Amino acid sequence: MTVPTTGTEVRLAARPEGRPTTADFSVVRAELPAVRTGQVLIRNLVMSVDPYMRGRMNNTRSYVPPFTVGKALDGGAVGEVVVSKSPRLAVGDLVLHGLGWREYAVVGAAGVVRVDPALAPPGAYLGVLGMPGHAAYTGLLKAAEFRAGDIVFVSGAAGAVGSLVGQIARLCGAKRVIGSAGSPEKVAYLTEELGFDAAFDYKDGPVLEQLAKAAPAGIDVYFDNVGGDHLDAALMVARLGARFALCGSMSQGDHKDGPAGPRNLTQAIAKGITLRGFLVWGHGDLGDEFTARMGGWLASGRLSYRETVVEGLHNAPTAFLDMLRGAHTGKMLVRIAE
């Protein structure tokens, strides 16, 4: 193929005030940098949009630098090597890397991971076999110190991470698995397809009332993807010595005046609750274990996943906004090219 010299990319046009809109993004054509020794040029096939990206739109210090206004965003992507100046990779290899939100990416070969499309489709390496799957596995088994016989509650349970947490808990011997989601269809998905013992639509009424009904004996583990009223409710329903894995706070990302803090933190004292935040990047030592166990469960048909796929790089901002408002099931992906 002719080596491209330009490519389409999605840039941050402005930092959002409250909930982001499409006006906060721009889609432009840009010159590609030269491919230097040790680098590869990748034609991106599929990219990920993830909740953590919302925090990077703010100019605040965190575990990862904020996006720069006027520059392309970045995130997980899988693509095909079209030019290689590294002996590590050949033209035609499929690789996982961190420069999504663009049609083409020039990346150091040492910073990419070759993936095998014969084992799983490219999108799976951004979901069930990628960062969301690793977060689900690490958060439940390490951060929450899951034990067989636990009663587990998962918020945002129909999303990329939550849908896997519930299944892993069930496979590892949970006594009861409960999930919350944002529509009747998602609730049915959790109970009828993924094997959750109970689930509820958080829009149907107060979360505390619905959780108490679904978990009359209380909960031992809470995997938090939402924060806010879900965290408050879990604190109230938790049993003595409960363990909370704090993965995300989707309900609080768009508050202009800062998020409302949990009102029931005194419950953590009274019940000896452990609340542990975690970052998947801090558990790279579990990579081989995660891949082996998740791959085995997938191959045996004991674990399933869904993807919501939006077509076209120009639609990536819309996919991102839809993901933030929960208009998806499973992993939200953007297909850039075949």
Side-chain angles (χ1 to χ4, degrees):
M1 62 173 290
T2 303
V3 177
T5 59
T6 63
T8 301
E9 62 185 32
V10 181
R11 296 178 176 176
L12 181 65
R15 299 204 185 278
E17 295 288 337
R19 185 175 294 274
T21 71
T22 54
D24 297 317
F25 302 85
S26 61
V27 181
V28 303
R29 196 79 181 169
E31 295 287 331
L32 297 176
V35 183
R36 303 189 184 280
T37 300
Q39 295 181 324
V40 292
L41 175 64
I42 300 166
R43 181 175 69 102
N44 282 332
L45 304 179
V46 61
M47 58 165 271
S48 176
V49 291
D50 299 288
Y52 80 88
M53 295 174 178
R54 173 61 187 89
R56 295 190 66 192
M57 297 180 76
N58 300 328
N59 191 23
T60 55
R61 184 175 180 178
S62 183
Y63 61 91
V64 63
F67 294 128
T68 301
V69 174
K71 299 292 186 181
L73 292 85
D74 57 67
V78 173
E80 177 188 11
V81 174
V82 294
V83 174
S84 177
K85 292 190 177 181
S86 167
R88 296 183 68 251
L89 296 168
V91 171
D93 284 347
L94 288 188
V95 294
L96 170 68
H97 64 98
L99 289 184
W101 294 90
R102 63 201 82 196
E103 185 181 9
Y104 292 95
V106 176
V107 184
V112 308
V113 177
R114 188 185 289 107
V115 301
D116 186 354
L119 295 178
Y125 293 97
L126 298 169
V128 62
L129 294 177
M131 183 268 288
H134 200 171
Y137 186 88
T138 297
L140 179 68
L141 300 184
K142 301 302 177 182
E145 299 178 354
F146 171 84
R147 306 160 190 161
D150 279 343
I151 299 173
V152 177
F153 171 47
V154 187
S155 59
V161 176
S163 60
L164 299 174
V165 172
Q167 293 183 82
I168 294 169
R170 178 173 51 80
L171 288 165
C172 291
K175 182 177 181 180
R176 185 169 174 82
V177 179
I178 302 150
S180 70
S183 72
E185 294 77 16
K186 291 181 180 181
V187 168
Y189 169 59
L190 296 178
T191 56
E192 296 174 9
E193 186 170 330
L194 300 188
F196 281 62
D197 297 286
F200 61 86
D201 183 344
Y202 66 84
K203 298 176 183 176
D204 281 348
V207 173
L208 177 56
E209 292 181 10
Q210 297 195 76
L211 177 58
K213 182 178 179 181
I219 61 172
D220 302 295
V221 167
Y222 173 45
F223 194 104
D224 189 16
N225 291 304
V226 174
D229 56 356
H230 281 72
L231 179 54
D232 275 340
L235 286 163
M236 293 300 293
V237 174
R239 305 209 290 193
L240 291 176
R243 291 93 59 205
F244 287 21
L246 307 181
C247 183
S249 54
M250 281 286 291
S251 69
Q252 303 183 60
D254 298 327
H255 289 271
K256 294 182 180 179
D257 300 323
R263 296 167 297 175
N264 299 320
L265 273 177
T266 55
Q267 294 292 313
I269 302 170
K271 297 175 179 177
I273 299 170
T274 299
L275 295 92
R276 180 175 293 155
F278 73 98
L279 299 174
V280 68
W281 295 279
H283 295 274
D285 58 311
L286 296 177
D288 291 343
E289 175 188 326
F290 156 71
T291 300
R293 296 190 76 182
M294 291 291 276
W297 287 329
L298 278 172
S300 67
R302 301 173 69 195
L303 185 146
S304 66
Y305 66 96
R306 279 194 194 179
E307 297 173 344
T308 301
V309 180
V310 172
E311 299 289 343
L313 179 60
H314 63 286
N315 287 320
T318 299
F320 176 71
L321 300 179
D322 284 349
M323 179 273 301
L324 290 181
R325 66 184 182 86
H328 68 297
T329 300
K331 182 75 188 84
M332 178 70 92
L333 298 170
V334 178
R335 183 179 290 119
I336 300 173
E338 293 295 336

